[in-house]
Amino acid sequence: GAGVSQSPSNKVTEKGKDVELRCDPISGHTALYWYRQSLGQGLEFLIYFQGNSAPDKSGLPSDRFSAERTGGSVSTLTIQRTQQEDSAVYLCASSLRGGGQVGTQYFGPGTRLLVL
Amino acid sequence: AQSVTQPDIHITVSEGASLELRCNYSYGATPYLFWYVQSPGQGLQLLLKYFSGDTLVQGIKGFEAEFKRSQSSFNLRKPSVHWSDAAEYFCAVGALDMRFGAGTRLTVKP
């Protein structure tokens, strides 16, 4: 596709349920990032994938959060046992280079998650 | 640890007036610095970036930013604001694990 796509665009769930958020990066981009944007906050780095290397999970806020990237392309961010404080917009970005080289990140439109 | 501070949460300027959005950073090495804009309902779009070289960088939509190492600042400027510039602006620092500021919301008065 022309840009980074994310699905769903909106997700409402009940506290305690698991959710999966999907990100399709720009074709050919080797690096993929997940961020969280809470209301009135900046972007919080969550996790970074580069090619087939082990992901940098240093930003994940708890062990309820996990992410995988299959085939070096599509990524899924999973939140288990959701809490109300997980409500936020989850943004995905991809870039052409990583692994020590800085590439411009292209952002998707985000998934707005509301935990009731 | 790297961090970014955007001191102004909300700025209002008149259309045609000049604009400066402040950004201060903390970074252990030579910083990679970015400005992104987020329009309502839109994803983040890169305005400009600084890696090295000339400390005054030009971006899209008539924006520019100046890197001042002595002040740990990377302020964004535009000489004449247009109504379409109303948006949220984020400064970011870093490489692989970028750190973003909390953002500055820009309102443009007619």
Side-chain angles (χ1 to χ4, degrees):
Chain A
V4 178
S5 60
Q6 293 185 245
S7 61
S9 54
N10 292 280
K11 177 71 177 179
V12 180
T13 190
E14 294 178 347
K15 177 181 174 181
K17 299 285 181 126
D18 299 350
V19 295
E20 286 189 350
L21 313 179
R22 178 188 169 101
C23 172
D24 284 88
I26 293 173
S27 178
H29 279 195
T30 56
L32 186 147
Y33 306 77
W34 282 99
Y35 295 89
R36 179 169 68 177
Q37 184 177 23
S38 302
L39 187 63
Q41 305 289 318
L43 276 73
E44 176 187 5
F45 166 79
L46 296 178
I47 189 169
Y48 158 71
F49 295 89
Q50 163 54 22
N52 295 320
S53 302
D56 176 357
K57 304 179 182 180
S58 59
L60 294 178
S62 77
D63 59 7
R64 296 187 295 105
F65 288 73
S66 63
E68 62 177 21
R69 189 179 186 191
T70 54
S73 180
V74 172
S75 177
T76 302
L77 177 69
T78 301
I79 309 173
Q80 296 178 308
R81 305 180 303 281
T82 53
Q83 304 294 313
Q84 289 182 331
E85 60 263 30
D86 298 334
S87 297
V89 176
Y90 289 82
L91 293 166
C92 176
S94 69
S95 69
L96 188 57
R97 296 192 302 269
Q101 298 185 57
V102 182
T104 298
Q105 295 187 23
Y106 296 86
F107 283 81
T111 293
R112 186 175 301 275
L113 174 66
L114 177 61
V115 181
L116 301 176
Chain B
Q2 60 206 50
S3 65
V4 178
T5 301
Q6 292 181 246
D8 304 305
I9 296 173
H10 186 202
I11 283 183
T12 299
V13 299
S14 298
E15 189 167 17
S18 63
L19 171 71
E20 182 168 27
L21 302 183
R22 295 183 291 165
C23 172
N24 294 96
Y25 67 89
S26 173
Y27 195 73
T30 301
Y32 298 101
L33 295 158
F34 306 81
W35 274 99
Y36 282 85
V37 60
Q38 186 177 35
S39 299
Q42 304 289 316
L44 276 84
Q45 181 182 23
L46 180 70
L47 284 176
L48 47 78
K49 59 188 177 185
Y50 171 80
F51 291 170
S52 64
D54 192 347
T55 56
L56 184 63
V57 294
Q58 303 297 321
I60 63 171
K61 304 183 179 184
F63 285 92
E64 66 177 26
E66 186 172 13
F67 168 57
K68 293 185 177 180
R69 184 186 298 275
S70 62
Q71 299 178 18
S72 297
S73 70
F74 189 57
N75 294 348
L76 181 72
R77 302 194 293 249
K78 186 169 184 177
S80 178
V81 170
H82 188 263
W83 64 266
S84 61
D85 293 326
E88 187 95 18
Y89 291 80
F90 292 94
C91 181
V93 63
L96 302 179
D97 57 340
M98 282 210 294
R99 294 291 183 263
F100 284 78
T104 297
R105 180 170 300 278
L106 174 65
T107 297
V108 180
K109 294 190 302 185

